């Protein structure tokens, strides 16, 4: 269901509030949430989450930033589908003296996989594909003859959509992750320009799979690129546009974008990314011969597509999670059955659909990391969801997530009971004067 913002004159709004209040008192109907604020990233400010009672969160975040030498952090906290806290810390762009706010968008890295998985579930609900569908071969979704002709290992014909979602497609990074080996692939295949998705697929299909699809698992960015290509093939629309119109906007998320590679191409409200001071310049991904800062040209971020290229604010990311969590407060954009399947737990060694891990206790986790970015979604069994994204990479890489979780736990212990009973999804700026 597409949610629209409704504009009402102030006097009329006051009269409506009185009338609705009387009706509720008389009949006690089931409450219906107001429409989401369609310009959330233009509405939220740091002042809305400034509070003496929440200084414990501020303290934990600032200590975390100082210890890990992080320039900027965006943090949002949701409980039972209500956005209760959204705040930026440090610098969005240190050189421009631009402070981080909830309005800024940041690269989400592999958190993007949760968005892509939701798109696949949506297409299955529409009857346009099945998780049991084969990916390659005459009966597969990506059945183009030019690709089929390149396949030498018949195990490719056994790969299903669900195998890709669970990182069970047979792909391995032991010879290098193809999504982060652009320079090598260009040299090996005598390419003068970085490969587009179709060209990259042609370079990979002649390779043997590392294992029988479905028999084990190995984390695969390439597998989620294939899912992005599947979405484009099935819909006839480019991946980004279809996801924005059919998944993100219905969830109330209007400021999600596929990120670009360079600072000069960033979106107007996007942050600047940083690496650690001792991170040496690297060769540019396109074999130009130039040395670049790793987070700006070290890899082809945009080419990651649904495997890791989305950029968004933590507030809108909260809104997205609220739309796929099965709770009644915010209408979900996928069915109850799809939510169940995405969060189903099998064993500690089986990836969930889109999520890294979904425990039987109801705790769900989604991480994302690459140069200049670290992201974590932690959905707790009590209905609280904490989302943090940085604009700085650390030497820990993907290993930063446990330390972020520890910081969440300390902040929850200090301040969960003090979070204000409100919903920032539906407010106007003037509602929250600075404290």
């Amino acid at each position: 269901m597409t949610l629209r913002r409704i504009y009402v004159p102030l006097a009329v709004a006051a009269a409506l509030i009185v009338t609705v209040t009387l009706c509720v008192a008389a009949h006690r109907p089931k409450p219906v949430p107001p429409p989401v604020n369609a310009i959330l990233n233009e509405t939220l400010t740091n002042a809305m989450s400034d509070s003496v009672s929440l200084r414990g969160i501020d303290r934990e975040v600032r200590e975390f930033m100082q210890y890990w030498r992080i320039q900027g952090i965006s943090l949002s906290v949701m409980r039972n589908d209500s956005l209760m806290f959204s705040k930026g810390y440090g610098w969005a762009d240190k050189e421009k003296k631009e402070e981080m706010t909830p309005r800024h968008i940041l690269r989400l890295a592999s958190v993007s996989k949760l968005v892509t998985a939701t798109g696949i579930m949506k297409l299955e609900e529409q009857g346009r594909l099945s998780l049991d569908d084969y990916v390659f071969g005459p009966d597969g979704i990506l059945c183009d003859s030019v690709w089929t002709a390149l396949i030498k290992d018949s195990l490719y014909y056994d790969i299903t959509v669900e195998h890709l979602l669970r990182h069970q497609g047979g792909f391995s990074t032991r010879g290098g992750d193809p999504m982060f080996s652009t320079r090598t692939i260009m040299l090996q295949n005598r390419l003068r320009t970085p490969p587009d998705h179709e060209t990259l697929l042609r370079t990979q299909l002649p390779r043997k799979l590392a294992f029988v699809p479905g028999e084990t698992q190995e984390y695969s960015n390439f597998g989620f690129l294939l899912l992005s290509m599947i979405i484009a093939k099935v819909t006839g629309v480019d991946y980004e546009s279809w996801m924005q119109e059919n998944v993100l906007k219905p969830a109330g998320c209007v400021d999600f974008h596929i990120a670009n590679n360079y600072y000069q191409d960033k979106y107007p409200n996007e942050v600047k990314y940083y690496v650690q001071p001792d991170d040496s310049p690297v060769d540019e991904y396109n074999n130009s011969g130039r040395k670049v800062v790793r987070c700006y040209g070290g890899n082809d971020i945009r080419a990651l597509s649904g495997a890791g290229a989305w950029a968004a604010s933590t507030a809108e990311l909260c809104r997205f999670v609220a739309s796929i969590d099965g709770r009644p407060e915010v209408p979900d954009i996928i069915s109850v059955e799809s939510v169940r399947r995405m969060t189903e737990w099998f064993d500690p060694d089986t990836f969930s659909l889109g999520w890294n891990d979904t425990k039987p206790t109801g705790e769900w986790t989604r991480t994302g990391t690459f140069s200049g970015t670290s992201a974590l979604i932690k959905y707790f069994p009590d209905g609280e969801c904490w989302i943090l994204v940085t604009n700085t990479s650390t030497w820990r890489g993907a290993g930063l997530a446990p330390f972020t979780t520890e910081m969440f736990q300390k902040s929850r212990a200090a301040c969960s009971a003090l979070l204000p009973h409100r919903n920032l999804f539906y407010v106007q700026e003037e509602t929250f004067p600075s404290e």
Side-chain angles (χ1 to χ4, degrees), residues 19 52 90 148 171 177 197 208 214 234 264 282 288 301 309 316 328 333 337 353 356 359 369 376 384 411:
T19 302
V52 173
T148 302
F171 303 109
D177 187 333
H197 293 158
K208 290 191 67 173
V234 168
Q264 61 267 29
V282 298
S288 67
I301 301 300
E316 281 208 343
I333 58 171
E337 175 62 12
L353 303 180
N356 290 81
K359 299 185 185 302
T369 306
L376 176 65
E384 267 189 18
S411 298

Side-chain angles (χ1 to χ4, degrees), residues 40-348:
L40 189 63
N41 288 354
E42 297 178 15
T43 301
L44 295 176
T45 66
N46 283 335
M48 293 178 181
S49 294
D50 276 342
S51 171
V52 173
S53 61
L54 300 179
R55 294 287 166 80
I57 296 177
D58 296 343
R59 181 179 63 253
E60 293 294 340
V61 173
R62 290 188 174 116
E63 289 179 358
F64 183 83
M65 290 177 63
Q66 182 176 10
Y67 183 83
W68 293 105
R69 297 190 293 182
I70 293 170
Q71 296 294 338
I73 278 177
S74 179
L75 172 67
S76 290
V77 181
M78 178 174 67
R79 180 189 294 155
N80 298 339
D81 285 0
S82 292
L83 183 63
M84 312 184 83
F85 181 95
S86 191
K87 193 172 183 180
Y89 296 86
W91 299 110
D93 190 326
K94 185 176 181 180
E95 288 69 30
K96 289 187 174 181
K97 303 300 181 184
E98 181 181 346
E99 296 183 352
M100 185 77 80
T101 74
R103 304 178 180 188
H104 284 98
I105 65 173
L106 306 91
R107 294 173 180 168
L108 301 181
S110 283
V111 168
S112 303
K113 293 179 172 66
L114 183 60
V115 181
T116 300
T118 303
I120 292 291
M121 302 308 288
K122 191 76 173 175
L123 287 172
E124 183 178 52
E125 290 177 14
Q126 295 172 353
R128 303 173 77 175
L129 58 72
S130 166
L131 299 197
D132 295 326
D133 283 346
Y134 292 113
V135 176
F136 296 110
D139 299 322
I141 298 173
L142 302 179
C143 59
D144 303 53
S145 58
V146 65
W147 295 336
T148 302
L150 292 168
I151 294 175
K152 295 180 173 62
D153 184 349
S154 62
L155 288 178
Y156 275 89
Y157 302 132
D158 297 330
I159 302 173
T160 67
V161 173
E162 184 167 357
H163 288 153
L164 298 181
L165 286 167
R166 296 196 188 279
H167 301 277
Q168 296 175 348
F171 303 109
S172 174
T173 59
R174 275 168 273 179
D177 187 333
M179 304 310 300
F180 293 97
S181 304
T182 306
R183 292 182 61 251
T184 301
I185 290 170
M186 289 177 63
L187 292 171
Q188 290 176 342
N189 294 275
R190 299 180 181 180
L191 301 175
R192 300 183 64 180
T193 59
D196 59 18
H197 293 158
E198 289 75 16
T199 302
L200 179 62
L201 181 54
R202 286 198 292 271
T203 68
Q204 299 303 301
L205 287 178
R207 301 164 64 94
K208 290 191 67 173
L209 293 179
F211 55 87
V212 176
E215 287 196 358
T216 186
Q217 65 181 23
E218 183 174 335
Y219 193 87
S220 175
N221 289 303
F222 182 67
F224 266 78
L225 172 65
L226 293 178
L227 289 169
S228 308
M229 296 177 70
I230 285 170
I231 290 173
K233 177 70 179 293
V234 168
T235 64
V237 181
D238 72 272
Y239 167 82
E240 180 180 21
S241 298
W242 190 87
M243 292 294 296
Q244 287 172 332
E245 292 301 321
N246 296 275
V247 175
L248 294 164
K249 288 182 181 178
C253 303
V254 300
D255 203 13
F256 269 65
H257 308 278
I258 295 295
N260 294 308
N261 292 335
Y262 298 100
Y263 176 79
Q264 61 267 29
D265 298 320
K266 75 182 186 71
Y267 295 96
N269 61 328
E270 188 177 3
V271 301
K272 181 176 182 179
Y273 302 100
Y274 298 88
V275 295
Q276 293 298 307
D278 58 354
D279 194 323
S280 301
V282 298
D283 292 317
E284 194 169 18
Y285 78 94
N286 57 8
N287 275 331
S288 67
R290 293 188 294 265
K291 294 287 186 179
V292 296
V293 178
R294 191 182 303 271
C295 58
Y296 283 120
N299 293 295
D300 192 352
I301 301 300
R302 190 168 183 83
L304 284 166
S305 189
W310 284 108
S313 70
T314 58
E316 281 208 343
L317 191 52
C318 273
R319 180 69 196 187
F320 177 75
V321 173
S323 300
I324 61 168
D325 66 354
R327 294 196 61 89
E329 293 88 351
V330 169
D332 285 340
I333 58 171
I334 53 176
S335 68
V336 173
E337 175 62 12
S338 290
V339 173
R340 184 195 68 78
R341 292 170 71 189
M342 288 183 71
T343 57
E344 185 177 9
W345 184 86
F346 292 93
D347 56 64

Side-chain angles (χ1 to χ4, degrees), residues 412-429:
R412 274 165 52 83
C415 295
S416 275
L418 304 176
L419 288 169
H421 295 282
R422 63 183 181 186
N423 193 344
L424 292 173
F425 286 140
Y426 307 119
V427 301
Q428 299 299 313
E429 185 169 353

